[in-house]
Amino acid sequence: MNKNNCMFRDSPSPLEERADELRVMLRSEDPHALATRSGVIYTPQGDSDGEFKLALWNRDVILGFPDFEARDARTEDVLNPFDQALLVYYFHIAKGTPQSGKWISFTELPNGSFYAQAFRGYTSQKLFHSFGDRVESFSQAAERAGGRGEFFASRSYSYQILPRVALMVACWVGDEDFPSSYRVLFDAAAGDYLSTDGCAILGGQLTRRLIKALDEEESKK
């Protein structure tokens, strides 16, 4: 991973810039093999066309083949450029590895240790700044954002972002000696489906969703 291309600026543009190149490469692949490696459903629609069906952030999506244009399965609206690029990367990198159920830190992703401090800055530190020791507020926001409770740390919630990419946000409740702490973790298979940059962006997105859910809850009071 080239440091100059690292996405800790939280900008989707590097993903989008190469997406068209990857689309060209994917068009030459067997769609059935792509579906198997990506863990999605492929439905042929003619001699050479078809559709992949999958979920992105619990949103049903249809990805056309061979154009690799993604749209909302319900509204048929075309997805934004970043989500389009994310899906193209997912299909390009997918190795067919099953999800492990083992949670790893960002530093355990390829080259993740080089950018761990930056990642903590816009995930763990932002979560602490927003939630602090308010564990119940964290739980409410995590559930509002669609999280599933897990038996890990003091409180934790997992999110199935893509068919084989899952993230978890965990909270360790503090005491008189140490403050509460938060971490965004990844299923160990995540690196077989997205670049470390892509995983970093998802961690940032999850953090923003949780903070937005908190703001929505507090606006009701």
Side-chain angles (χ1 to χ4, degrees), residues 121-133:
Y122 61 79
T123 57
S124 301
Q125 292 176 18
K126 282 193 174 182
L127 290 169
F128 176 74
H129 178 76
S130 295
F131 294 102
D133 294 325

Side-chain angles (χ1 to χ4, degrees), residues 50-217:
E51 293 180 340
F52 299 103
K53 297 180 181 179
L54 66 153
L56 172 64
W57 288 104
N58 291 322
R59 178 187 186 185
D60 290 333
V61 170
I62 293 174
L63 185 67
F65 181 85
D67 62 359
F68 283 91
E69 180 180 82
R71 63 186 189 276
D72 186 292
R74 182 178 61 84
T75 65
E76 298 192 354
D77 292 337
V78 174
L79 300 193
N80 64 62
F82 170 70
D83 286 343
Q84 297 269 359
L86 183 70
L87 290 171
V88 170
Y89 268 77
Y90 176 76
F91 274 77
H92 173 69
I93 296 174
K95 296 180 179 178
T97 310
Q99 283 190 190
S100 68
K102 174 187 175 184
W103 299 101
I104 63 173
S105 67
F106 184 78
T107 59
E108 295 174 89
L109 294 169
N111 296 310
S113 59
F114 290 103
Y115 308 105
Q117 183 175 354
F119 182 73
R120 287 193 296 270
Y122 61 79
T123 57
S124 301
Q125 292 176 18
K126 282 193 174 182
L127 290 169
F128 176 74
H129 178 76
S130 295
F131 294 102
D133 294 325
R134 297 184 297 160
V135 181
E136 291 304 323
S137 294
F138 165 71
S139 292
Q140 292 170 8
E143 291 172 2
R144 183 182 181 89
R148 185 182 71 178
E150 300 283 353
F151 295 101
F152 187 87
S154 301
R155 301 282 178 91
S156 57
Y157 296 85
S158 64
Y159 299 81
Q160 192 70 42
I161 313 301
L162 285 159
R164 289 179 178 163
V165 175
L167 274 65
M168 179 168 70
V169 59
C171 169
W172 285 264
V173 178
D175 54 29
E176 62 271 15
D177 296 318
F178 298 98
S180 297
S181 62
Y182 298 83
R183 291 177 75 184
V184 173
L185 304 172
F186 302 83
D187 183 273
D192 288 340
Y193 291 93
L194 289 175
S195 66
T196 301
D197 287 341
C199 289
I201 290 177
L202 288 185
Q205 285 187 329
L206 177 56
T207 298
R208 290 194 299 275
R209 284 173 179 249
L210 291 167
I211 295 172
K212 179 181 178 182
L214 172 67
D215 292 341
E216 290 172 346
E217 284 290 336

